[in-house]
Structures are given as C-alpha cells and as structure tokens.
Amino acid sequence: MLYREAGQFKTNYQSDQQVFPITQDRWSVLAIVVAAFTLVPYFASDYLIISILNPFLILAIAAIGLNFLVGYCGQISLGSGAFMAIGAYAAYNFATRVPGLNLLIIFILAGGTSALVGILFGIPSLRIKGFYLAVATLAAQFLFEWMFLRVKWFTNYSPSGSVVAPPLEIFGLSITTPGAKYYLVLSIAVVVALIAKNLTRGHIGRSWMAIRDMDIAAEIIGIRPLQAKLSAFAVSSFFIGIAGALWAFVFLGSWEPLAFDINRSFQLLFMIIIGGLGSILGCFLGAAFIMILPIFLNQAPALFGIRLSTETVSHLEFIIFGVLIVFFLIAEPHGLARLWSIGKEKLRIWPFPH
Amino acid sequence: MANDAAKSDDTFPKLLIRNASRFGARPAYREKEYGIWQTYDWAESLANVRAIACGLAALGAKRGDKIALIGDNRPRLYWTIAAIQAIGGIAVPVYQDSVAEEVQYVLDHAEVGIAYAEDQEQVDKLLGNMARCPKLKTVIYEDGRGMRHYDQPFLFSLAKVEELGRKYEAEHPGFFDAEVAKGKGADISVIPYTSGTTGRPKGVMLSFDNMIETSRRSVAFDKLSENEDILAYLPPAWIGQHYFSFGQAMVAGFCVNCPESGATVQTDLKEIGPTFYFAPPRVWEGLLTQVMVRIEDASWLKRKMFAYFIDHARRVGLGILEGRSVGLLDRALYALGELLVYGPLKNVLGLSRVRIAYTAGEALGPDIFNFYRAIGINLKQLYGQTESTVYLTIQSDGDVRGDTVGPPAPDMEVRIDEAGEVLYRGPGVFVGYYKNDEATRSTKTADGWVHTGDAGVFTTDGHLKIIDRVKDVGRLKNGALFAPKYIENKLKFFPFILEAVAHGADQDAVAAFINIDLNAVGNWAERQGISYSSYQDLASKPEVYGLIRGNIEQVNRDLAQDPDLAGSQIKRFLILHKELDPDDGEITRTRKVRRNVVAERYAPLIEALYSDKKEIDVQAKVTFEDGRTGTIKARLHLGDAATFPAAMKKAG
Amino acid sequence: MGFFLEVLIGGLLVGVLYSLVALGFVLIFKASGVFNFAQGAMVLLAALCLVRLIEWLPKWLPALQNPALVVFLAAVLSCALMVLVAMAIERFVLRPLVNQEGIILFMATLGVTYFIEGAGQSVFGSNVYTLNVGIPKDPVFLFEGLFEGGVLVNEFDIWAAVAAGLMVVVLALFFQYTRTGRALRAVADDHQAAQSVGIPLNRIWVIVWTVAGLVALVAGAVWGSKLSVQFSISLLALKALPVLILGGFTSVPGAIIGGLIIGAGEKLSEVFIGPFVGGGIEIWFAYGLALVFLLFRPQGLFGEKIIERV
Amino acid sequence: MNAPAKRIGDVLLKVENISLSFGAVKAINDVSFEINEHEILAIIGPNGAGKSSMLNCINGFYHPQEGTVTYKGIKRHDVDPHDAAARGIARTFQNIALFKGMTTLDNIMTGRNLKMTRGLFWQALWAGPAVAEEMAHRRKVEDIIDFLEIQSVRKVPVGRLPYGLQKRVELGRALAAEPTLLLLDEPMAGMNLEEKQDMCRFILDVNDEFGTTICLIEHDMGVVMDISDRVVVLDYGRKIADGTPDAVRKDQTVIDAYLGVQH
C-alpha cells in the first residue's frame, strides 16, 4: 500500500545489491535512525532510556553477534553469557591496567580478546555438530563463570569479585548523563548493524550460510569449514564481547560474574529465535520483545487493578515466557523477522492477496 | 518549424546528430540484460550508428538499397535502422514471429540485399530462404549464441560490421557526414509491410517527411519532452512501435527501454514505470481481467474495500481527471482511495508514472476504457493506419470519450464520402505502395485524399466514430444495417468472451461464433464448482452456454437502444471448440479476424446456425505449437438468444 | 589409599544419581529424537509435588496418618501428575512440531522448561522443603576387614544406587523385550517409517514422556531427599549433559557408565586438583572431561557412528 | 551444420586400481580408467554398481582403500575435497545439494567463493576492493544465468523452484567455479522429455563453448549414446567395458549385466 516501486530500476550491480534496494525502505529506515538520534533523547524520560532503551540496544548488539554464529553459520552456542563476561572483564582490565586508552579502543580490544577466546572454543566445532557443540560452548560458559570468580587477577583482587567500571569519557566528553550514554550505545549499535549487514551479504556471509544449509556440499565446492566456522566464532564473539563491555560499563556500572551467567546465554538465544534466525532486523525485534515483555508483565496487573505479589509475577513471567517460546516455534519458526517480511510483501502487492 | 531549420534535421540521422550534441550524456536507450538496465546515452548511440553505417558501406550497401531487419526490440536494432538511413538505405522491418515463407515473401518482394537478424532463430529462417531470395547477399546477426560452427562467408556479426565500419571510416574520413548530408526529407525512410487482413501484405513507403512531420506535431500535441520513458515491447515491425520508439523518440529525445525478453515484459514494465505508454485493446482487456481475477481471491475485507472505492472512482474519477468541479467530500474520499486502492493498483501494474496512455487499432469497451481513466490513468483513444503514419484522429487531454476515436489530428483533414467511408489528407499520407502502383491508385485519389476502407460517422461534437470495415458493412435481408465489427466489439467487452465473429450479410438474422476466454471462464467455472478437463470440454458446458447467452442478451439490449442497429440483434450463437489462432490463419498476428478464411472454413457451422438444428458435429484441422497438424472431433450446441423491440427513434 | 577409595565410591554413588537424570534424556531422545532440556524441570516438579503432597495429604485426609502409606499415596498422585504433564507436552508441543529439525524441538523444550519451572513453583510454592521418603541416612562403614578404618559411606547413597540400578534393569528389559519397547525404538529411528507400519506415534510419545516423567520422579525423590527440594535441582539437567556426551545420546548403558565416570571424576578432581586451582572446579570439570572425550569419539561411547551421505 | 570433429586432448584424469569398501561391502573393486581433455565420458551401470561412489572418490569425498587418482599430472592417494575444488573439479549431486536458505543468485555466487579473496575488514566496510570484487563476480555469474536461461528466477529462494530448475541452478553453481573437470551425478534424473533436451543442450554447450571436460553418470541410454564420446560401464563395482558408445552397446557382457544374467 505504501510502496510505489514503479520506476525504480537499477542500472548497476551496486545499486541492485544495496542493503535497501526499494526507496521507500531506505527512507523509512533513515527516518527511524534520524528519529532515534534526535527525537527519542528529547522526548524519552531518563527512566525509559536507562532501564529500557540502553539495555535494549546493547542486547541487540549481542544478539547480532550471536546471530552470526547460530542464525547465519548454524553453530548452536550456549556460551554467549561467558563471551559477554570476557568482554566486560577484558575492558575493565584494559581500562585499569593501561591508563589513558580511548574508550572506543578499549571496547575494540575487549571485543578482540573475546574473539580470540571464541576461536579457541570454535575449534571443537570442526569435529562435532549440533547438540554436542552446544555442550562445548556450555563448557566455556561454566569455565569462565568459575574463572572470573576464583582467579583474582582478573578482578584486580577485589574481595567480593565485583568490580566498578571506570568513569567513562571519550574525546574529552564525560559520559554520565543518560542522554550521553544513549548516544554512545546508539551510534555503536548503528555501526554494528551496518557492519553486520555488509558481512552477511558478501562472500563471507554466503560461505557461512552454505555451511549452515549443507556443510558437506559447502566443503566440496571449496569452502574451508575451518576458515568459515572459526571466522563465524571470531566475529560473533567480537560483537558479543563489545556488547559485554557496554553492558558492564554503561548499563551496570559495577558488576560481578553472576551478571553473565547461563540465563544470559538463554536470554540471547531466545532473542534470536523469537526475533528470527539469520536476520539482522530479527535481532532488534527479538531484543525489543525480550526486553519489553517482563516490563509489560509487571505493569499489566496494575493496569487491570489486580495486585500480585512479586513472587507470583516472576512465576507468571516464566510461564508466559515458556508459552511464547513454544507458540513462536509453532506459529513461525523464522520468528518476528519472517512475520515482518510477510507483512512487507503484502504491502508491496496490495491490494492483491499474498 | 522554421524553413531553414528543416534542412538541418529533416532526416533521422541528422536528428540523431542534433540529439547527440544537445542531449549528449542523457540516456537514449536502455536494455535489461544480465540483471540490470544497460544504459547507452545519445553520444554512444551516435558512435555505434556511425560504425554500423560505415560497416554497411564496407559490405557494399549503396544509397536506395533496401535492408531488412527481423528481431526483437533492442538498442542495436534501432541503431542499425539509423545506420541504414544514414547511408541512404531504406529499412524494411519484418515481424520476428512470422514463419519462414512470410519472411521469404517480404524479402523477395522488397528485393532486399542485406538482412539484419537478431539471433540464431532468425538467422536460420533467413538461411532457409537464401535459395528463394536471389538478391539476399549478406546476413548480419547480433547474438551469436549457438552459431559458433556457422562458417558461411556471407554471415557477419554486428561487432564485425562495426569493426569493418571503423576501418572503413579511417580510410574514408568524412564519408559518414557526407552521406548523412545527402539525405533529404522526401527520401523513403522505412517500408513497413501491413499485415493485411485480405491477400498478400503490401509495403507502405513512408518518407522522412511523413515520419518526422507527424512526429513533430504529435510530440507538440502531447507536450512530450526528453524526460519521457517508454517501454518498447510490441513488435518493432508494427508501424505503431516504430513510430513511438524511433520517430517520436528521435524528435523528442526521450529514452527507449527494451525489456529482457517477451516473458519478462510485465516485471520490466513495473521496473521502468513508463511515463508515455501505448497498448492495443487486448492488453488493456487482459490487464483488467487479470486484476478482477486476482481480486476475487483476496480476503473479504479487501474485496469490499476494493469494490467500494472502484465504484466511487467510476462515479467521481473521470471528473477529477478532467479537472471538472467535484464536491469536497468526494474529492477527499477519492484521495483516500488513491492511497488505499488506486495508487497501489497502478503501482502493481507499473502504470503509476504514466502521464499519457493511448489505445488504438481496435475498439475498446467503454467500461474498460472508463475504468482506467477513473483510477487516474490518462488513457485516450487514437485512430490511424500505416498509410497515415499512425495519427489520423486523436483525443486531447480535456476532450476524451470512450466510444469515439476523437477529432482529426493536427493539420489532418478527415471527411466521410457518400458511401460512408472515411477519407483523410495531410502530412502523414504515405508516398505509395512499393511496386504496387495499381493498389496505390485505388487507395490514393488524384487530389491526395486516401481511402481508409473503414466506415465511420462524425458525432455532433466533431468526434469520428468508426463503425466497421467498409467492405464488411452489409445489409440484412430486411434492409437493416449490419456492422459485424461493431457487434463483435460489444461482445468482446465482456471478460468471458475472447473473440467473436458475427454473420448476417444478406441473411434474415444475425448469428455469431463465440471464443470463450479460458482464463476468465475457467476461473468462473471453478467458483461455480464446475469441473472441466480441456478448453473444448469447458466450451461445450451448458452452464457456460447460459453465461454467454446472458452476455449476448445484454448486447441485444444495447443494440435495441440504437434505432438503426436494432435490427442486427443476435438471434443464434455457438461456442467454438477451439480458439481462432494466427497459426491456423484465422486471425492476423495482431488478432484481427480474417473473415473470409473463417467464413469459408466454418461454412457448415454458419449454415447450421441458420437452420433450426440444435446440435452439429464438426471436425476441424488444427496446427499444434510445433507445426504438426491434427484433427479435433466435437459436438457443438447451437443456442438461441432473446431479442428486444427497438426503442423509439431518438431526436437528432 | 583408603581415603582415595572413599572419595571414589562416594563419586561413583553420586554418578549413579547423575545417570538417573541422564536416563530421562536418553529415553526421550531415543524415542522421539528430541533432546529434552526440560527433564531437569520435570525432576524439580516431581520432587516439589511429592514433598508438598506428603505435607498436605495428612491435612486433607486426617484419617491417613501412617507415614509409609502417606508417602506411597503421594508417590502415586505424583505419578498421575507426571502422566498429565506428559500428555500435555505431547499434545501442545510435539504434535504441532512433528518432523521439524532437532534444533527447533530443542528450543521448544527450553520453552517447556521455563513453563514447568514457573507453573510448578506457583502451584507448589518456591522455597526449600526437606523431603524424607524413609531412606535411612546414617553413615555406615564398609570393608572394615580390608582397611583400618574401612570406608565411610552414607547408607542413603547405597539405597539410591540400588534404586537407580533397579530402574535401569527394568528399563533395559522394557526396551529390549516388550512390544512397546520395540515400537519405541522403531519410532526413534524414523518417525515416518514407524507411522507407515501402523505404530500410533502420538500414543507412543505419551508413553515415552510418561516413563521419562516416572524416572524424573525417582530422580526427584532421591535428589530431593539428598539436597532437599529447591529450585537448584532443575540445574541438574546441566549436570546430566556431560554424562550424555560421554555415554552417547541414544544408549541406556552409555548413560549409566557415563554417569559413573562423571561422578567419580568430579569428586576426585574436587578433592585432589581443586585446592591448587582455587576450588569449586567440579562445575566445569565434567564438561572439560566430556569435551576431551568428544574430540576423539564425536558420537560418545555407545552412540551410533554418524555417517554422512551425499 | 555438423560440428567439426572435436579436438580431444591428452589425459586429464587417470584413475588406477581404485578399491573402496564400506566394512564388508565392496563398493568399487579395482577399477581403472582415464578421462581425456574436452571429452564427455559417461559412467553407466545398474543401480548399486558403484557409480556415485566413484565420483566421490575422484573429488575426494570418499577415500578409497587402494588405488590412486592422478589429476593434471599430480598423483594422489587421498584426494582432499577442498584441494580438488581449488584445482578445477566441480560437481553436481544425485539428490540436489542446494543451499535452501539462499536465492538462486546467491547459490551460484557461492560457487565462486574460491575466487573471492577479500578479507573481513574490507567486507565489513563494504568499500573499495570488496565491492569491486563482488561486482566483477556478479557479472560473471550473470553470464551463467543468461547461459542457463534462468533470468526470471534470479531472486527466488531455491527451495521454491521446481525440480527441473533446481537441477539447472546446481549446474550453474558448478559452472561458476569455471571448472576444467565437471562431474555430473545423474543430471537428468526425474526430468520430463523437454527438460532432458534442455539439459543435454546445456551440457553440450558447456563442453563446446568452455571446453570443459565432463564425466556424467546417466541411466537414459538414449542420452548416453547421443552426447557422450566414451562410455565406462560398471557392474557390481567392477569395470566391465570402456569404449565408444557404439562399441559398448554391442558388448555382450554389458548386455548381460543389464539383462541381469547371473554372474
């Protein structure tokens, strides 16, 4: 209905293979990004930014990272919580042990460390597949959870194992107000989404998807499984690491290993399942869904005037979560992203049926 | 047009040189290939034409030589036409889907020396005819796919011709410009062969003046500029396509877009979104049927919304399109309709950028015509023929009606002689029929008037209304006027009827053959839960007879309103067991019925219609897709249709 | 030496309990190809149901005071609940997702895990309950003859090991020799093929999930009384994973031996390696062990060899 | 227009005494044959004769217990699939092995991955060399799409294509690697007459236009006799005939094998 595609023809391959070939899509995404940078910080309350928008963006970055591995390369990973933790503690150590480093460099180094560890834990994926691989990543999860608790060097010998993020400042600007934090996280999220889109539409992305769809055929036409899987693990862990650093520095402020436990891994996995495996948009939709649902559940009873004890609310949260996961897997295994693209398809051939 | 300016651009090569200097980097031709629209600007086009022209000269082409072109719409085809004309040659376009002997007749009749064929399929047709075309010495091909082992000496790829051309021009500097300068308005620019419904096709000689003078007027009439985009998808040999994508394109300087292949025209139309669009009636009818069929499957809500807004558009749309005053509420509702239905519909059909659209060749049903205008497509009627270089009568933006073909085109005089035949005179009048003076004399009178062969009448507000072919207009036994095409067009306005042939001359009543539209009737049958196996099976169903009878009786009611046509209401009809097919010679390539062939081949059926038989067995020879022939046996029902008393003769 | 033996036996006994939980996984994977992550939650549900019923039954039916009878009735009612849960899972989760790939089904069981944890705790309450099903807990000394102080072992663990051993034997017989057992193995190989020979797929799945529920009940009872019933029991699933890796997803004996290795390995590593590295390593040691094993035999001890065809 | 006699080059691939067994089952039993350059060699034989296994040995998917494969002069006991692909061996599969999650265009582009080398950095920025490389390879793939006449399904996910078209896309992916040796595993299985004729035309054009050597497995004798230069016949893992189509057709052992005369 909103699309006017007549007359949008392509005269070169670059415009034919761009991220948003249809003008209406390009303009609407541009509008959203501009609004996110201008209107949202102006109108949104501090509470909304601090407790919803910032975590949503950071988790979206982590979801993009995990989607590289699970959605695009088909390697199941239950260890994303640990990789976030590596990002957080690497950033912490770089910040404290190497003073004067620019914040962005710290994040990139944190991502790099996480990527290296990711490659290490990617090696088993060459011989084992499916659930067995899930166990290898689970081993990473527990190993690092234990390591950050027990090996004091990482936490700079703080007694309780919890650490405090250093004051954030970048190019001389101190980042303390919610607005500043929001801008930092938003700009990183936009850059990450763009990089993700570029990686998945090039030949690297295709080799990942080939491994995911039929790894035997991929190997025979010349794709090195070693290179493809390890690059997926590296890129995935890199972005999850950055998300971990952001989560610790910007959102939590001070944290201990428990903040990155197995439930975080499950949460990220749910985000990309519900959001849509193999879709960058799916990461944002999934992150938004998983963030907003618990908040909605807490507010909802109040709306209908029934008072519920916090305990029952948290149980209710579990129940509804469980039901929704199963519902989505039955209704649309490809998640919100597929529903979104079907909706878009309907609009494009409106008024005719899909 | 100032007189001296005429000298510098009175031929297409000169126009091309002017365009290359004036528009330079603007796109002149686009072609969908390898997934994207390959674009060639005016400067590039001129360079290629220069190389081809010199190449043709290198191959021995002389001024006045006829060079045939057989192929689909491709930038290289149009460059070759311009190149031929640059060295004084005459282009002879041939239909690309005509069979070998049709090609042979044209090549031999036009004494063609060199032929341009697009690909292996067309080259094979030419090679097959070499023996029977003594004058054909050289064949040029564009797409060499599959011809690697063709080693005939007289076969050249277009690339080789361009290479020869560049070498030739190096040896004869200034040759190209000198040749172009020799060209003048009166020279013959192109000889298209009419797909005559009667007898052998005739070559219509059209001079540069014919083409350029009429193009200048029509470009000015519709205010076409170099920013237009058109889609060249109809056969290049048809005068209409040649006029739009060569005549007007060179004059106005707009871009000609060539689709990837015949199968992808619909998607290419949507991608390009042309601003100036021409389509024969069957395309407009087919599109509307397709829309109605697809909407049937939509959800209840969408169907209701669609019906409501289309109904609103039918009431208010024409007023808005023609700028008449319309109530504020209606205008607001129409705007909402534009957002919800008309805009998306035009977008899906690829017509949202259309500024001017034409239909011609056959009559188009008024309600189909008004449907497109109602949703905001500026569709207009025009009437013309090859001999008049297309534009004879044309409707202007403010003065459009569904049932007429409009007032005479600029500087074109049109009159009706006592026999009711339409005659015209003006700049578009053709030079004559090639090597057929006898036919030229019978068509062109001494003082320059041309017989169209169509019967027509002028309405009170100066619009011409075409009734039928003069020779087909007959009288019933009781003297009532019988115009078969007029009746057939009314029948074809119903989506279920694809083709109709009316009989009645010198009979006491009118009877009709009906061809059902498999797509529309098949879909209707599914909805009614009627199962059918083949076209022939569906055509013999009693329910389908009932459906068609309803349509015929509706036509009879319309005919009853018109006093002098009330007598020719349809009393008897039958549904043919097979579609009339160009391969069987029953209709022309552009789907015009060949009456004499049909009358002679189906004589027993006509006879049965005028007897009181209820059924008749029939055996018909059919040629299949790959040329094999077979016979079909079928039992046809003969149906009766109710007729209505004539209305009182209306005043005036 | 005695101390080593003591730790070893302790480890082995705990290993048996791990394999009990692992059995639940193997059963469902063998019969439906689904890696049921919700097995841990089912153990928690069964334990919660058992312990609360034991508490509530005497209140609801004052006539019923004899503890043995109470426990017995609670156990029966818990079995009924597990059957209901099995049917619900089959009806609302498995049937709509029939022949989806393994990863989709695996994620569905994640959803089921959350649901059961939420529902179970809201119905039966979510704090810690001590469970006593009458298995004596006092320590006992074995093999006094061999070593000076003999080996200190908790009698409870022995009983638990016996219960687990009994359960394994029953299951092994059930799978190998009964008609339904054969049907189960057929379904595990190929859903369509089994259906084509007339095996009622839905009924089979209900049976499988019920049996898994009963195994969960026994595991729940044993773990419940050992560590008392609390939310952390549902994390048992994470403990059972390495056992499955070692033993292979599809073999019952594999689950038992895998459990023993993991149980012993954990305890030994905790006691002998732990102190050097800061302790608490058993949480990831089991995974490390399984991972190392996996690199040499990707399909575990007894799992079928993975053959890839083009 | 009869095509001029095809210039058959020297030996491109030599298979010597290959034996392959799965446990007790002897799939291939001491088979040797050669394939010359620009030749179309057909491997025929009843089901289970070891045809597909032979292809899998040539491109390294199976490692035979005995025997060697010499390709372009390099003798290998265990061929590594990646290495085989890198040195110009491409293949299609008996039951289509396309990447269901991608469109036709992406599937064929994946065929070119060996030739695309730009690293992560440039890909991430989607700038300079990475884009230039992608566009150049896209242009090559468009030639193949044009050659196989699948322009209209360019952006359609392969899962939705009819069987005949999927077979063509798979051939396109193999061609994208610009192979010198093309292995076709029953390219025309399950096709109707018209689709078979198209596929034959494509195979002949590939051999003729690109000079690719082709080794195909086919059951349809009509096709084999028409388009192949030489035929190797396998039966129960053993080579029972090797020669021109006509010679093989008259060979008594071949006739027995096909009529199922007991060994």
Side-chain angles (χ1 to χ4, degrees), chain B residues 176-256:
Chain B
F176 177 79
D177 299 323
E179 285 300 310
V180 168
K182 287 183 195 153
K184 48 189 176 348
D187 299 349
I188 303 298
S189 80
V190 66
I191 302 181
Y193 274 73
T194 62
S195 59
T197 48
T198 52
R200 280 293 185 184
K202 298 193 283 288
V204 179
M205 291 189 286
L206 294 175
S207 67
F208 284 110
D209 285 340
N210 286 143
M211 289 288 290
I212 294 177
E213 286 312 317
T214 49
S215 296
R216 279 217 176 84
R217 283 170 177 71
S218 55
V219 161
F221 182 83
D222 279 325
K223 296 187 269 311
L224 299 176
S225 75
E226 66 277 12
N227 302 319
E228 307 306 336
D229 264 309
I230 71 161
L231 186 71
Y233 69 101
L234 293 169
W238 178 58
I239 182 63
Q241 188 63 65
H242 183 70
Y243 187 80
F244 295 121
S245 52
F246 192 73
Q248 289 186 317
M250 284 290 180
V251 169
F254 53 70
C255 183
V256 174

Side-chain angles (χ1 to χ4, degrees), chain A residues 138-222:
Chain A
L138 216 47
Q141 174 68 33
F142 293 121
L143 178 65
F144 286 100
E145 231 174 89
W146 167 80
M147 188 186 288
F148 290 122
L149 210 55
R150 287 295 158 74
V151 179
K152 292 288 173 257
W153 183 76
F154 290 112
T155 54
N156 212 353
Y157 305 101
S158 86
S160 65
S162 79
V163 278
V164 175
L168 307 176
E169 57 92 18
I170 188 166
F171 308 120
L173 306 153
S174 75
I175 299 172
T176 50
T177 66
K181 287 183 177 172
Y182 171 74
Y183 272 119
L184 173 69
V185 172
L186 180 64
S187 34
I188 294 179
V190 166
V191 166
V192 164
L194 206 59
I195 291 176
K197 205 61 183 151
N198 289 341
L199 281 181
T200 50
R201 60 184 172 136
H203 76 90
I204 293 176
R206 277 195 295 273
S207 50
W208 289 340
M209 287 192 263
I211 295 280
R212 170 195 68 192
D213 287 346
M214 198 172 212
D215 52 5
I216 315 160
E219 192 177 348
I220 284 182
I221 63 170

Side-chain angles (χ1 to χ4, degrees), chain A residues 61-86:
Chain A
I61 295 171
I64 289 178
L66 188 59
N67 220 334
F68 278 124
L69 198 55
V70 179
Y72 283 99
C73 198
Q75 313 298 322
I76 307 162
S77 161
L78 290 172
S80 28
F83 290 114
M84 276 180 89
I86 294 168

Side-chain angles (χ1 to χ4, degrees), chain A residues 3 5-7 10 13 350-351, chain B residues 34 37 271-272 340 347 352:
Chain A
Y3 282 95
E5 286 179 59
K10 304 287 180 274
Y13 289 129
W350 183 278
Chain B
Y34 302 127
W37 290 88
E271 280 182 15
I272 285 295
L340 292 179
N347 174 47
S352 29

Side-chain angles (χ1 to χ4, degrees), chain A residues 76 127-129 131-132 135-136 138-139 142-143 146 150 216 266 270 273 311 315 318-319 322-323 325 329-330, chain C residues 37 92 97 103 107-108 111 115 117 119 121-122 126 241 245 249 277-280 284 287 291 294-295 298 308:
Chain A
I76 307 162
R127 277 181 63 77
I128 49 178
K129 291 192 179 56
F131 307 125
Y132 295 99
V135 170
L138 216 47
F142 293 121
L143 178 65
W146 167 80
R150 287 295 158 74
I216 315 160
F266 280 142
F270 287 155
I273 299 166
E311 204 187 57
H315 292 158
F318 269 73
I319 294 173
V323 167
I325 301 286
L329 288 171
I330 294 171
Chain C
F37 198 82
F92 297 113
L97 285 175
I103 175 110
M107 291 174 206
F115 179 80
E117 279 164 9
Q121 288 180 346
S122 51
S126 60
L241 272 179
I245 299 302
F249 275 65
V277 194
W284 56 265
Y287 281 95
L291 200 54
L294 215 51
L295 294 182
E308 276 149 0

